[in-house]
Amino acid sequence: QTIEIFSSFSVQMKYLCLIQLFGWCAWYSFVPIGSEYFGKYREDRDRGVENMAEGMIYSSAIEIIITCLIPMLTNICSMTTLYVSGFIGLSICLVLLSLSTDYLTMLICCALIGLPYAFLNTFPFITAGKELGDSDRLGVFIGFLNTFIYLPLFINFLVFLILSDRDLFLTGAGWSFLALIASFFIRPRVTKQRSRI
């Protein structure tokens, strides 16, 4: 029955699940090893943990600010445009992290990673609420969204077994690129355009 309900969702909502999968695969390719990575190139693992925590604070701040601005942003840009811009930024940041050992560059990239996750944590739920309302299918869709958030943990665990930290960042950039491609299949705007009189 659950599969039947999922198959009844619109194509857009299925692509939102796919974006969740790829986007969180990119996230988990960075976050678990970030402290060790910072520490390795700062020659002090404890200091690396502090640097990572600092970067994640800035990342969270950016995510909160962008989330508050989403009602305004969605009146200006389509969901596709915002998704694509976020994943382009994420891909660039992960590539730079794989190449740079400069502390400031790593910190800035870590902070900017919060941008696409503001979209990942809001757009699917906005779309679900608009398309499904308070129907029983809403709970099923939210369950699928959560599955596509936690499934990347298992996927990245397998990837961690065979790749080095820098290769993981490049793999994360690859996941982000796949999310970017899937974003082009999201057509409607999140909010309705104002009617002209």
Side-chain angles (χ1 to χ4, degrees):
Q1 184 179 4
T2 301
I3 296 176
E4 291 179 1
I5 294 175
F6 183 75
S7 64
S8 70
F9 293 143
S10 67
V11 173
Q12 174 180 251
M13 296 179 73
K14 292 174 183 175
Y15 273 109
L16 283 172
C17 288
L18 199 59
I19 292 169
Q20 287 289 95
L21 176 67
F22 293 146
W24 286 105
C25 278
W27 172 264
Y28 291 127
S29 70
F30 164 70
V31 172
I33 63 168
S35 297
E36 181 179 349
Y37 185 73
F38 270 79
K40 179 186 295 185
Y41 296 103
R42 296 284 286 174
E43 299 179 351
D44 182 347
R45 192 179 189 286
D46 291 338
R47 182 60 177 162
V49 173
E50 294 177 6
N51 294 156
M52 178 66 178
E54 183 180 359
M56 295 309 295
I57 289 172
Y58 296 143
S59 177
S60 298
I62 289 175
E63 183 176 345
I64 291 170
I65 291 170
I66 296 300
T67 299
C68 292
L69 293 176
I70 279 179
M72 180 185 71
L73 293 174
T74 52
N75 280 324
I76 301 171
C77 304
S78 68
M79 181 163 40
T80 297
T81 301
L82 293 172
Y83 260 142
V84 168
S85 62
F87 286 122
I88 287 175
L90 177 59
S91 298
I92 292 173
C93 286
L94 289 172
V95 170
L96 288 176
L97 281 169
S98 73
L99 299 175
S100 177
T101 58
D102 176 69
Y103 164 70
L104 184 59
T105 300
M106 291 192 290
L107 190 65
I108 292 173
C109 288
C110 183
L112 291 178
I113 284 174
L115 174 63
Y117 291 95
F119 304 144
L120 277 177
N121 285 322
T122 52
F123 286 161
F125 303 99
I126 292 173
T127 304
K130 288 173 67 67
E131 291 201 13
L132 301 177
D134 58 356
S135 70
D136 294 338
R137 294 194 304 157
L138 178 60
V140 177
F141 183 71
I142 298 301
F144 274 109
L145 282 178
N146 288 331
T147 299
F148 286 111
I149 291 173
Y150 291 107
L151 182 59
L153 280 170
F154 175 73
I155 294 173
N156 276 287
F157 171 75
L158 298 178
V159 175
F160 289 161
L161 298 177
I162 57 176
L163 296 179
S164 66
D165 48 14
R166 292 194 173 193
D167 290 335
L168 285 169
F169 290 147
L170 291 175
T171 302
W175 288 121
S176 178
F177 181 76
L178 290 175
L180 187 157
I181 297 300
S183 299
F184 283 106
F185 294 91
I186 307 296
R187 295 300 180 188
R189 300 173 70 90
V190 175
T191 57
K192 297 179 180 179
Q193 296 185 11
R194 295 175 183 175
S195 59
R196 296 179 180 179
I197 302 175

